[in-house]
């Protein structure tokens, strides 16, 4: 059976840490920033750990990272 190809769009959106966590960017920082507080915009800039329920699916499509 051939190797599974990495989904390149997913590989750009998700990063795997040294400890094996899958991190992703938070949504909501692209437009309508005028009404959002500085604190909220700063919080949106940070990456967040992926919800555990999605781990198996995302790990499969970013196969080369594991």
């Amino acid at each position: 059976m051939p190797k599974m190809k990495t989904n390149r769009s997913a590989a750009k959106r998700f990063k795997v840490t040294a400890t094996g966590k899958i991190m992703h960017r938070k949504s909501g920082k692209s437009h309508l920033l005028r009404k959002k507080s500085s604190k909220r915009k700063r919080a949106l800039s940070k990456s967040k750990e992926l919800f555990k329920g999605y781990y198996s699916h995302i790990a499969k499509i970013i196969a080369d990272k594991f």
Side-chain angles (χ1 to χ4, degrees):
M1 187 152 173
K3 290 181 184 177
M4 193 170 159
K5 282 193 175 180
T6 299
N7 180 313
R8 296 315 296 163
S9 63
K12 291 166 190 172
R13 286 171 172 81
F14 299 100
K15 299 293 171 221
V16 181
T17 63
T19 56
K21 291 179 188 172
I22 301 175
M23 305 298 281
H24 71 95
R25 214 179 125 237
K26 293 179 188 175
S27 61
K29 186 108 195 301
S30 58
H31 62 98
L32 301 176
L33 299 174
R34 178 178 36 87
K35 58 177 143 185
K36 293 172 186 162
S37 68
S38 299
K39 181 181 177 180
R40 186 170 161 197
K41 286 185 277 193
R42 241 186 344 268
L44 288 171
S45 295
K46 296 172 183 169
S47 54
K48 184 181 177 195
E49 188 181 353
L50 188 69
F51 174 66
K52 295 285 184 194
Y54 297 130
Y55 261 65
S56 59
H57 176 69
I58 299 301
K60 215 175 281 179
I61 61 176
I62 56 171
D64 70 332
K65 303 279 183 175
F66 286 92

